[in-house]
Amino acid sequence: MIDQRHNAPSRYFVDAQGHRVLIGLSLEETAEFEALDLAPTETMQVVAETGMGKRAGAGDDVRWFELYSKHEGAWRAWIARSQAERTQDLGFVNYV
């Protein structure tokens, strides 16, 4: 069986300033999402290292979901555009 995880397109891209960001999110939103996505002990280490403030409790879950939803919508749109472009690039002629 082929491991598809290594063949999937990356959900990140490099922005105009050379930063690696999640599709649909800004650099700041990507950093916030990644910090919220980590386990609590890892999150506290990231907060300490970056100085980024951290929201407490249920607000974290709400904010994580907001950022995830924004990214997921942009990701799905990107996949759809990529598939449409790939189909056009194949050069098939539609005979009706």
Side-chain angles (χ1 to χ4, degrees):
M1 184 168 163
I2 298 173
D3 183 1
Q4 292 298 320
R5 289 176 296 182
H6 299 295
N7 294 327
S10 174
R11 288 180 172 247
Y12 289 86
F13 73 99
V14 177
D15 69 8
Q17 292 75 35
H19 299 111
R20 185 175 165 263
V21 296
L22 282 163
I23 292 173
L25 299 183
S26 67
L27 176 62
E28 294 78 17
E29 289 170 329
T30 297
E32 182 181 5
F33 176 80
E34 289 173 340
L36 291 170
D37 200 43
L38 294 173
T41 56
E42 293 171 321
T43 300
M44 295 312 293
Q45 181 179 356
V46 169
V47 169
E49 290 173 359
T50 64
M52 187 181 88
K54 171 117 173 66
R55 299 179 188 192
D60 286 348
D61 293 338
V62 171
R63 182 62 178 152
W64 179 92
F65 187 72
E66 289 170 352
L67 293 168
Y68 177 80
S69 296
K70 183 177 179 182
H71 162 66
E72 185 66 18
W75 169 250
R76 289 178 185 264
W78 182 85
I79 289 291
R81 279 192 311 273
S82 295
Q83 288 175 343
E85 290 170 3
R86 194 173 322 129
T87 301
Q88 290 175 352
D89 290 343
L90 291 175
F92 290 121
V93 177
N94 187 6
Y95 296 102
V96 181

